[in-house]
Amino acid sequence: EAAEEQMKQPEKIPEKPELERTKQAQSEESLAKTVEKAIEEYKWAIIVIAALLILAAALSYAARGKWLPRLWLLYFRNGKDSGRMEEAYDVLLKQLARYGITRKPGQTLRDYSRYIDEYFETSDMSRLTRDYERVIYNQEEADAHWKKSKPLWEKMMRKTIT
């Protein structure tokens, strides 16, 4: 009967010895103390590095007028041409607004493009807008117009680099 009872009772999994638990707890405490000590020791270095990162981010944001148009030029120069005209035109409008030439409420794209052409003493924006309107309103082939308009777009983007 005793043998049957032993067979019926599931075997107990031996627990970790208390000594191993104590070593693990001591190891975790030691690691926590080491990290706290390192933070305390290098607190000023951490603060200086964080301040420099924040300053770098602020300067990058302030100088985006120089690097962001260049980044867009690379993006559109190296990408596929399919369906890019609408996106590129939108990017140009945003860049012109960042540059300080904002579109007035209710102002048509043609009027806005003429205003930009007067500002830069060119006719590139009007030609670009004419092609853009053909694609948008007449549902003409965007790729053919983009290939023709891409140099105009690049020229206008370069004019906005401050």
Side-chain angles (χ1 to χ4, degrees), residues 79-138:
K80 59 180 170 57
D81 286 343
S82 178
R84 301 304 288 268
M85 184 158 194
E86 293 175 43
E87 184 183 4
Y89 193 84
D90 187 46
V91 165
L92 178 59
L93 293 179
K94 288 177 184 174
Q95 180 59 28
L96 287 165
R98 255 191 306 278
Y99 185 75
I101 309 172
T102 56
R103 188 172 162 204
K104 294 173 181 63
Q107 189 176 27
T108 65
L109 288 176
R110 283 186 190 178
D111 290 340
Y112 183 56
S113 66
R114 277 190 227 114
Y115 174 70
I116 291 168
D117 284 341
E118 287 174 19
Y119 184 87
F120 288 116
E121 298 176 354
T122 185
S123 64
D124 295 336
M125 188 66 183
S126 291
R127 291 171 31 209
L128 183 60
T129 299
R130 194 174 326 113
D131 286 340
Y132 174 75
E133 287 177 337
R134 285 181 184 149
V135 169
I136 295 298
Y137 300 124
N138 296 343

Side-chain angles (χ1 to χ4, degrees), residues 4-51:
E4 285 179 27
E5 282 184 36
Q6 276 185 336
M7 292 179 98
K8 289 181 183 177
Q9 292 179 351
E11 289 186 34
K12 290 185 180 179
I13 300 172
E15 294 184 28
K16 283 186 175 180
E18 197 61 37
L19 182 61
E20 285 186 33
R21 287 186 192 170
T22 306
K23 283 183 180 178
Q24 185 178 0
Q26 287 175 348
S27 175
E28 289 172 3
E29 284 179 24
S30 175
L31 177 63
K33 285 180 182 177
T34 303
V35 169
E36 285 178 25
K37 186 178 176 184
I39 289 173
E40 186 62 38
E41 190 174 326
Y42 296 106
K43 182 164 76 174
W44 287 109
I46 293 169
I47 291 171
V48 167
I49 289 170

